[in-house]
């Protein structure tokens, strides 16, 4: 990558990981837990030091379960809905009580620093990440997330898009491009991103309430994609009695035609979300926009060391 990258962070993925990975015994002076806040700030500092971006956006989950996806696949994330959902209110995700206030703290500090956040109505963070990555025409993009679904964004043109996958933690994070996705998931390298989305559609994802095509697991899906090149060609073979597609696979695919049609827009990350930014620019500030506010928040939440690490990371960037 010749130009410094734009870093697109999956905010919710990162602060959830921090919350569950760091003891809740880490508290502010007033006793409130700040484990997610501290972990998130430390992770951002590490990422800035490692990737040396000149632009950065923290992408928000403004609608974690968009109704248009639920209309297509009613089971989508249904198991994550809080059991006691007040009548008439939107779906409420089961977020730990001690995490929600910390997200507000994170937003306060990002705002005081002048670090951009972005969200969109009726869109998940994935869709915000996908839209910003798809729009980019100038700088290489690094998407940071613990969500494998975002591997579908990898590409080489018109700018390189890489996904830094946090599945095993930041210290063991793996960066994926088309070649790595193709090698790890046995999908065609020339369309590794779209093929990964098709693989995910076929195999399903229980964590998102997506059943997939019954009897078609990840290995079978990868084999079919390798043989036929795309989901479109797989379905064409299923509808062609003269094709060499195995009878068992043909039967399973044809019986799931309705699901496949509906699941496509659910599984694929949107690239046309109506994204709005919290700041006028996504340029990474080299110093806090509101230093007094940052200092006050650091003291209030007891995260002065983490704020110091973040500022040190910013100081290391070229002016």
């Amino acid at each position: 990558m010749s130009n410094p990258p734009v870093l697109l962070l999956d905010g919710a993925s990162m602060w959830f990981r921090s919350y569950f990975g760091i003891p809740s015994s880490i508290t502010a002076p007033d006793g409130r837990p700040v484990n997610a806040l501290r972990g998130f700030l430390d992770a951002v500092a590490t990422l800035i030091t490692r990737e040396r971006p000149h632009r950065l956006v923290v992408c928000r989950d403004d609608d974690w379960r968009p109704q248009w996806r639920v209309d297509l696949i009613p089971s989508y994330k249904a198991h994550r809905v809080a059991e006691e959902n007040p009548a008439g209110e939107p779906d409420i995700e089961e977020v730990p009580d001690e995490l929600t206030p910390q997200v507000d703290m994170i937003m306060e500090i990002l705002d005081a620093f002048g670090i951009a956040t972005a969200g969109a109505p009726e869109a998940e963070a994935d869709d915000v990440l996908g839209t910003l990555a798809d729009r980019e025409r100038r700088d290489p993009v690094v998407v940071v997330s613990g969500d494998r679904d975002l591997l579908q964004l990898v590409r080489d043109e018109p700018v390189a898009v890489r996904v830094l996958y946090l599945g095993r933690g930041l210290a063991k994070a793996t960066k994926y491009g088309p070649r790595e996705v193709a090698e790890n998931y046995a999908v065609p390298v020339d369309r590794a991103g779209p093929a990964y989305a098709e693989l995910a559609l076929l195999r399903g994802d229980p964590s998102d309430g997506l059943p997939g095509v019954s009897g078609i697991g990840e290995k079978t899906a990868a084999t079919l994609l390798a043989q036929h090149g795309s989901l479109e060609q797989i379905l064409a073979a299923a509808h062609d009695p003269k094709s060499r597609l195995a009878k068992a696979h043909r039967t399973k695919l044809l019986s799931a035609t309705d699901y496949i049609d509906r699941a496509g827009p659910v599984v694929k990350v949107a690239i046309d979300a109506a994204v709005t930014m919290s700041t006028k620019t996504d340029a990474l500030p080299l110093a806090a926009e509101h230093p007094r506010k940052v200092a006050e928040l650091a003291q209030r939440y007891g995260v002065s060391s983490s704020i110091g690490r973040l500022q040190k990371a910013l100081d290391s960037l070229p002016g």
Side-chain angles (χ1 to χ4, degrees):
M1 294 185 178
S2 52
N3 294 347
V6 52
L7 211 54
L8 304 179
L9 309 185
D10 184 347
S13 173
M14 289 180 61
W15 53 67
F16 262 92
R17 297 186 72 83
S18 295
Y19 176 81
F20 286 107
I22 298 174
S24 59
S25 56
I26 295 176
T27 59
D30 62 6
R32 285 182 291 175
V34 291
N35 53 327
L37 171 61
R38 182 178 293 186
F40 178 81
L41 292 174
D42 288 347
V44 173
T46 299
L47 288 165
I48 290 172
T49 301
R50 181 185 297 181
E51 300 298 328
R52 303 188 65 75
H54 69 137
R55 298 161 58 202
L56 184 147
V57 183
V58 177
C59 298
R60 308 187 307 266
D61 231 358
D62 286 359
D63 188 346
W64 70 279
R65 189 174 182 246
Q67 189 59 45
W68 60 270
R69 281 194 168 105
V70 177
D71 290 343
L72 288 165
I73 304 289
S75 62
Y76 182 64
K77 293 187 178 179
H79 59 295
R80 300 191 200 175
V81 179
E83 292 183 6
E84 297 181 4
N85 190 353
E89 291 192 9
D91 289 334
I92 299 173
E93 187 174 17
E94 295 183 272
V95 178
D97 292 340
E98 293 179 346
L99 176 56
T100 302
Q102 295 190 63
V103 176
D104 294 335
M105 297 175 190
I106 289 169
M107 290 300 152
E108 278 186 287
I109 290 176
L110 291 175
D111 183 63
F113 257 99
I115 293 174
T117 68
E122 300 181 5
E124 301 173 54
D126 287 14
D127 303 313
V128 179
L129 292 157
T131 298
L132 293 178
D134 187 72
R135 285 180 186 173
E136 186 59 36
R137 293 293 184 272
R138 185 179 69 190
D139 298 318
V141 177
V142 177
V143 174
V144 182
S145 178
D147 185 351
R148 282 197 303 170
D149 291 343
L150 290 161
L151 295 179
Q152 65 184 272
L153 298 180
V154 299
R155 70 182 192 199
D156 287 327
E157 299 293 343
V159 297
V161 177
R162 301 293 183 259
V163 174
L164 187 64
Y165 176 59
L166 304 176
R168 296 192 299 159
L170 183 54
K172 297 180 179 178
T174 305
K175 188 174 287 184
Y176 285 85
R179 181 173 59 83
E180 290 80 12
V181 171
E183 288 175 355
N184 281 272
Y185 295 96
V187 295
V189 68
D190 60 329
R191 55 184 308 274
Y196 182 84
E198 294 166 357
L199 174 81
L201 186 157
L202 290 168
R203 75 164 182 231
D205 186 349
S207 68
D208 279 341
L210 297 171
V213 176
S214 179
I216 303 289
E218 184 168 303
K219 289 184 179 180
T220 300
T223 299
L224 291 172
L225 283 165
Q227 290 173 345
H228 299 276
S230 69
L231 178 59
E232 181 181 5
Q233 293 301 317
I234 292 170
L235 295 177
H239 284 91
D240 180 4
K242 298 179 181 179
S243 74
R244 296 183 179 181
L245 187 67
K247 182 179 179 181
H249 294 154
R250 185 192 310 276
T251 301
K252 291 169 183 174
L253 289 162
L254 292 178
S255 65
T257 299
D258 180 59
Y259 170 78
I260 293 171
D261 289 342
R262 290 184 288 110
V266 177
V267 173
K268 291 178 182 176
V269 171
I271 56 174
D272 58 354
V275 175
T276 56
M277 306 275 287
S278 65
T279 56
K280 292 181 180 179
T281 175
D282 62 6
L284 189 58
L286 299 184
E289 185 175 335
H290 304 288
R292 289 185 181 179
K293 181 67 172 178
V294 169
E296 187 269 322
L297 292 171
Q299 186 173 14
R300 184 195 307 174
Y301 299 140
V303 291
S304 295
S305 59
S306 294
I307 292 292
R309 282 188 282 273
L310 177 55
Q311 185 58 61
K312 184 178 179 181
L314 294 172
D315 289 343
S316 73
L317 298 177

